[in-house]
């Protein structure tokens, strides 16, 4: 339990630092085509109540709330500073069907069967107890409700998990990326059945001065594996390309 709590604190501190950097964090995570693909993919209907798990800057929450004025969206995260910014933005833009709630990173502060859909983008690889988190997702979902997961995955030939070591160079609580097969196994354990999916990629920068031990990491892994991520160093930025799982589940 102590390890889980320390991991949550590391994630919280890392993301408070990232959000305070503003434009660089946006540069890492924004992708308008990917966002459009997600919005087209999600089976959103009138009067739904949607939970955005690990909402961060509200990257999914805001466009969904704007597009569907007759639904309710709640963004959940451990990073209070980001949520404060989100609340201010919602007030400024007069978006009345959205709210943001903080929690301890373990138990969700909601009743059983409260939501029609849970969505999460680029967040679940930070969750230290993924089994507990997915069990909480299943608990708060109605029968017939949906879970949408969008998260990077190791390349098919990354047998040494280079990508996890790379992500852990920055001390922001990265745990691991999961393969599609691992997601099917984890979610299936909690009554969440695969419906459909699509694949995408993300290419983003990491600041070299926060990638502690980068050169040492490169020596630990086969050159072919490193090259499969199209790694490129440009000044103080390191770029890699990651595959992304986009998977929709339905609660049985």
């Amino acid at each position: 339990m102590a390890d889980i709590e320390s991991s949550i604190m590391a994630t919280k501190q890392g993301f408070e630092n990232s959000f305070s950097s503003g434009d660089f964090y946006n540069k890492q995570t924004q992708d308008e085509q990917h966002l459009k693909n997600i919005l087209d993919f999600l089976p959103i209907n009138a009067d739904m109540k949607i939970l955005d798990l690990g909402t961060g800057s509200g990257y999914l929450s805001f466009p969904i709330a704007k597009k569907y004025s007759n639904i309710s969206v709640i963004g959940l995260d451990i990073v209070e500073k980001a949520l404060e910014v989100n609340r201010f933005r919602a007030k400024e833009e007069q978006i009345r069907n959205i709210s943001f709630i903080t929690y301890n990173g373990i138990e969700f502060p909601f009743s059983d069967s409260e939501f029609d859909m849970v969505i999460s983008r680029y967040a679940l690889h930070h969750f230290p107890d993924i089994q507990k988190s997915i069990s909480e997702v299943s608990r708060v979902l109605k029968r017939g409700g949906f879970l949408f997961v969008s998260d990077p995955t190791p390349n098919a030939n990354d047998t040494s998990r280079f990508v996890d070591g790379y992500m852990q160079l920055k001390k922001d609580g990265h745990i691991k990326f999961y393969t599609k097969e691992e997601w099917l196994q984890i979610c299936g354990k909690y009554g969440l059945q695969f419906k459909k999916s699509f694949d995408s990629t993300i290419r983003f920068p990491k600041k070299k001065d926060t990638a502690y031990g980068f050169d040492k990491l490169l020596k630990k892994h086969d050159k072919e594996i490193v090259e499969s991520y199209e790694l490129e160093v440009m000044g103080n930025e390191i770029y890699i390309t990651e595959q992304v799982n986009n998977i929709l589940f339905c609660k049985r």
Side-chain angles (χ1 to χ4, degrees):
M1 188 65 179
D3 289 343
I4 291 174
E5 290 176 352
S6 62
S7 179
I8 290 170
M9 289 305 297
T11 301
K12 183 175 182 179
Q13 184 60 54
F15 272 85
E16 284 180 348
N17 294 339
S18 294
F19 288 130
S20 66
S21 69
D23 290 342
F24 188 79
Y25 177 75
N26 292 336
K27 185 178 179 181
Q28 287 179 303
T29 60
Q30 289 188 356
D31 183 335
E32 289 304 309
Q33 185 58 53
H34 186 224
L35 177 60
K36 181 182 184 302
N37 290 344
I38 291 174
L39 295 179
D40 291 342
F41 183 78
L42 293 177
I44 298 176
N45 299 311
D47 301 320
M48 273 188 166
K49 188 172 184 180
I50 298 177
L51 175 65
D52 182 10
L53 178 59
T55 187
S57 61
Y59 188 75
L60 288 184
S61 292
F62 280 109
I64 290 174
K66 288 179 179 180
K67 184 175 181 179
Y68 302 96
S69 59
N70 55 356
I71 68 166
S72 172
V73 181
I74 297 177
L76 184 67
D77 209 298
I78 61 173
V79 188
E80 179 60 35
K81 288 183 179 179
L83 301 187
E84 289 174 1
V85 173
N86 293 348
R87 293 182 191 114
F88 179 79
R89 176 183 170 186
K91 185 176 180 180
E92 286 289 293
E93 297 182 17
Q94 297 184 348
I95 307 171
R96 296 183 174 85
N97 60 331
I98 193 170
S99 60
F100 296 94
I101 297 175
T102 189
Y103 79 124
N104 63 7
I106 303 172
E107 291 92 4
F108 296 3
F110 306 109
S111 303
D112 295 355
S113 305
E114 187 168 338
F115 292 92
D116 300 286
M117 184 182 294
V118 176
I119 58 177
S120 186
R121 176 184 181 268
Y122 297 174
L124 292 176
H125 57 273
H126 290 286
F127 284 44
D129 189 345
I130 196 65
Q131 300 280 343
K132 173 64 176 176
S133 295
I134 297 302
S135 73
E136 282 290 272
V137 167
S138 181
R139 180 183 66 80
V140 303
L141 268 179
K142 298 175 182 177
R143 187 176 298 275
F146 297 98
L147 165 65
F148 172 70
V149 173
S150 179
D151 214 41
T153 183
N155 287 352
N157 62 341
D158 187 1
T159 54
S160 60
R161 289 278 180 161
F162 161 77
V163 71
D164 285 327
Y166 174 79
M167 295 299 293
Q168 289 164 357
L169 293 177
K170 183 180 179 182
K171 306 306 179 184
D172 63 358
H174 173 86
I175 304 298
K176 67 175 287 189
F177 289 140
Y178 299 89
T179 63
K180 184 176 182 179
E181 291 71 26
E182 286 174 319
W183 279 123
L184 295 180
Q185 182 181 23
I186 294 168
C187 292
K189 184 177 177 181
Y190 298 100
L192 299 165
Q193 186 175 26
F194 172 80
K195 294 293 290 184
K196 59 180 180 176
S197 66
F198 71 92
D199 298 327
S200 59
T201 61
I202 178 174
R203 183 167 179 80
F204 67 94
K206 181 190 293 290
K207 290 183 178 179
K208 191 174 182 181
D209 56 15
T210 64
Y212 307 108
F214 173 64
D215 293 332
K216 185 177 180 180
L217 177 74
L218 294 182
K219 294 177 183 177
K220 286 178 58 179
H221 296 272
D222 291 345
K223 183 179 179 182
E224 293 77 13
I225 291 176
V226 175
E227 288 179 347
S228 73
Y229 287 95
E230 302 174 15
L231 187 147
E232 184 178 11
V233 180
M234 301 175 62
N236 189 42
E237 294 182 351
I238 308 167
Y239 285 81
I240 68 169
T241 298
E242 296 174 350
Q243 304 299 311
V244 178
N245 283 320
N246 302 272
I247 312 174
L248 186 70
F249 297 90
C250 183
K251 183 178 176 181
R252 295 194 296 268

